[in-house]
Amino acid sequence: MRILLLGEYSRLHNSLKEGLVALGHEVVLVGDGDGFKDYPVDFSIEAKWSKTKLINIIRQIIAKIFKYDFAKLEHGIRFYFLLSKLKGFDIVQLINESPVQTNQRFELFLLKKIVQQNKNIFLLCCGIDYAVVQHMLLKKESYSILNPYFEGNKEAKKETDFILAYNTKNHYKIHQFIYENCKGIIASDIDYVNPIKNHKKYLGLVPNPVNLEKIRYIENTITNKIIIFLGINTFNYYTKGIVFFEKALVIIKEKYADKVDIIVTKNIAYDKYIKLYDKAHILLDQVYAFDQGYNALEAMAKGKVVFTGAESAFENYYNINEKVAINALPDVDYLVDELSFLIENPHEIEVIGKNASNFIEKEHNYKAIAKQYFEKWMAGIHK
């Protein structure tokens, strides 16, 4: 079958493409590379001219005065000129409700063109969309990435405004159009199940695919100091709860100066990021989550001990009886205690790392996951 994957975050669609190609399908991936992460795509809609030196100065001025980034418009224009190549696919999957990441009216126009040109549209719920934001605003869970908003954190305003944009009237029109015209909606992890599980087009959860042929398991043996890695993306600094990790690391560094090395990076490309954390034993991922995102899963596949979402709902879903990750909470003292235990019991790092790698191999193998996606798509088509 010919399959079109629209949008890319965290390498999810790249790994899915690799699995689908291995199963014999023809797959085209369109996206902007997700900014500095620079993920590969078949057709790029990256805003290139908007970021050239001279125009970028004008762009920044306009963004400051009018609160609008016209790089978004360039995404839409580049996508528009690709439309003739994006027709006649058997399956189209959107990474979320705004896969083009242009202004909302233009996004709706472009998505209407995609629906007109293709047979079967599916929506992946794996990040921010209307239903997820509604769920968070109602405080249905004990915490969420909107915690900084509820706490009145003004420094987090740019991040939370991005999230709340999915709760506007213009975005609701996009949400409504996609839900009316798609054949099904798939959740990528536990975090996204509750917001959509009661919708008639919900097809279930399909775990994130991880290409284990490209990720090398590294024996998590402690020979000298324990290396802790924190890779910061400043664009979601507050909504990932990075501040809790930073505060915990200050205490850990003072408490175990002779036992740990700490690596902290900011906004580096995916390939460089991977090379840097390969040497680490412990990776600090995110606080406001119930399940693992893609970054955590890749680290777990390599045998790292990852502080991320690993709540009881996740453990129950996969029927896990051994620790495969450390459930990170927005609590500095708790994080310090968990890190301290690992530092004082280094054998646990090796055990958990091995458990993590085995878990990914069992539940996230990219070929098996690609098959699950295909089965969900077929179920949606014949529903």
Side-chain angles (χ1 to χ4, degrees):
M1 281 194 166
R2 297 184 70 237
I3 299 167
L4 175 61
L5 303 177
L6 292 184
E8 174 64 305
Y9 307 123
S10 303
R11 212 185 178 279
L12 192 164
H13 265 172
N14 266 275
S15 295
L16 177 56
K17 176 186 173 178
E18 289 159 3
L20 290 167
V21 169
L23 296 179
H25 300 288
E26 178 188 343
V27 185
V28 173
L29 172 55
V30 179
D32 66 355
D34 200 14
F36 66 85
K37 298 173 189 174
D38 196 25
Y39 297 121
V41 295
D42 296 306
F43 294 114
S44 175
I45 56 171
E46 181 187 359
K48 293 180 179 178
W49 64 263
S50 299
K51 296 177 182 177
T52 56
K53 191 172 182 179
L54 178 61
I55 297 178
N56 190 51
I57 294 172
I58 301 170
R59 173 190 165 211
Q60 297 299 332
I61 294 170
I62 291 173
K64 190 171 184 178
I65 297 172
F66 299 102
K67 309 299 179 186
Y68 179 74
D69 184 357
F70 65 72
K72 287 188 172 184
L73 182 59
E74 186 181 348
H75 286 163
I77 292 170
R78 288 183 178 275
F79 191 89
Y80 176 80
F81 285 109
L82 284 174
L83 283 172
S84 62
K85 298 177 180 178
L86 308 180
K87 59 173 63 175
F89 285 86
D90 301 298
I91 302 288
V92 178
Q93 179 163 277
L94 315 181
I95 195 80
N96 77 346
E97 291 177 344
S98 296
V100 183
Q101 287 292 295
T102 187
N103 68 61
Q104 291 170 328
R105 290 180 181 177
F106 199 11
E107 186 94 36
L108 180 57
F109 169 80
L110 294 170
L111 290 175
K112 285 181 177 179
K113 291 290 186 184
I114 290 295
V115 169
Q116 290 168 8
Q117 295 182 173
N118 297 280
K119 294 179 182 178
N120 304 299
I121 311 297
F122 290 85
L123 174 65
L124 184 57
C125 185
C126 70
I128 306 305
D129 64 21
Y130 179 80
V132 171
V133 174
Q134 285 291 303
H135 189 79
M136 291 190 293
L137 286 171
L138 293 171
K139 297 185 178 181
K140 294 278 191 176
E141 312 295 345
S142 55
Y143 55 79
S144 75
I145 59 174
L146 275 181
N147 263 38
Y149 169 74
F150 297 135
E151 293 162 4
N153 186 337
K154 293 181 180 179
E155 292 180 337
K157 188 176 187 302
K158 189 174 182 179
E159 293 176 32
T160 55
D161 281 353
F162 173 81
I163 296 168
L164 294 172
Y166 286 81
N167 193 43
T168 60
K169 287 183 180 179
N170 280 337
H171 182 77
Y172 180 71
K173 292 177 183 177
I174 298 173
H175 163 80
Q176 201 170 28
F177 174 77
I178 293 173
Y179 270 54
E180 286 174 357
N181 289 278
C182 74
K183 294 291 177 72
I185 308 154
I186 298 168
S188 67
D189 69 45
I190 299 295
D191 292 85
Y192 310 114
V193 171
N194 285 342
I196 60 173
K197 66 182 181 182
N198 294 322
H199 195 277
K200 63 182 180 181
K201 291 188 177 181
Y202 176 59
L203 297 174
L205 186 157
V206 178
N208 286 300
V210 178
N211 188 342
L212 297 172
E213 293 173 21
K214 289 194 171 185
I215 298 175
R216 178 173 56 90
Y217 170 72
I218 303 167
E219 199 75 39
N220 216 1
T221 306
I222 313 298
T223 56
N224 191 5
K225 288 187 176 184
I226 294 167
I227 301 172
I228 304 172
F229 180 89
L230 174 61
I232 299 172
N233 178 348
T234 57
F235 299 100
N236 55 24
Y237 174 87
Y238 296 99
T239 52
K240 290 279 189 180
I242 299 301
V243 65
F244 295 99
F245 288 137
E246 287 183 322
K247 289 179 178 179
L249 287 177
V250 169
I251 298 170
I252 290 296
K253 189 174 183 179
E254 183 177 345
K255 188 177 178 183
Y256 299 104
D258 60 332
K259 291 186 177 181
V260 301
D261 279 333
I262 297 170
I263 301 172
V264 178
T265 67
K266 287 187 180 180
N267 298 353
I268 59 174
Y270 175 78
D271 289 343
K272 187 176 179 182
Y273 175 87
I274 293 298
K275 289 175 183 175
L276 280 172
Y277 89 56
D278 270 354
K279 65 177 77 170
H281 303 102
I282 298 171
L283 182 136
L284 308 180
D285 177 47
Q286 63 177 322
V287 163
Y288 298 122
F290 292 82
D291 196 347
Q292 301 92 57
Y294 205 86
N295 180 55
L297 295 173
E298 286 199 331
M300 290 165 66
K302 290 192 172 191
K304 310 302 180 186
V305 175
V306 184
F307 280 64
T308 186
E311 288 280 0
S312 57
F314 154 74
E315 293 179 331
N316 293 337
Y317 180 84
Y318 289 103
N319 193 27
I320 295 172
N321 298 312
E322 54 192 9
K323 195 175 288 292
V324 299
I326 306 299
N327 187 36
L329 297 175
D331 182 329
V332 174
D333 291 338
Y334 164 84
L335 294 173
V336 169
D337 287 345
E338 292 292 323
L339 283 167
S340 297
F341 175 79
L342 293 172
I343 294 165
E344 293 170 11
N345 298 275
H347 176 66
E348 288 296 316
I349 294 175
E350 298 179 33
V351 172
I352 297 170
K354 187 63 178 175
N355 291 346
S357 179
N358 290 339
F359 167 74
I360 301 300
E361 188 172 356
K362 179 184 177 184
E363 303 291 353
H364 292 272
N365 184 285
Y366 77 118
K367 291 180 183 177
I369 297 303
K371 186 177 179 182
Q372 287 186 45
Y373 267 101
F374 188 78
E375 289 170 352
K376 294 292 185 187
W377 293 334
M378 293 302 101
I381 291 169
H382 298 111
K383 197 169 183 179

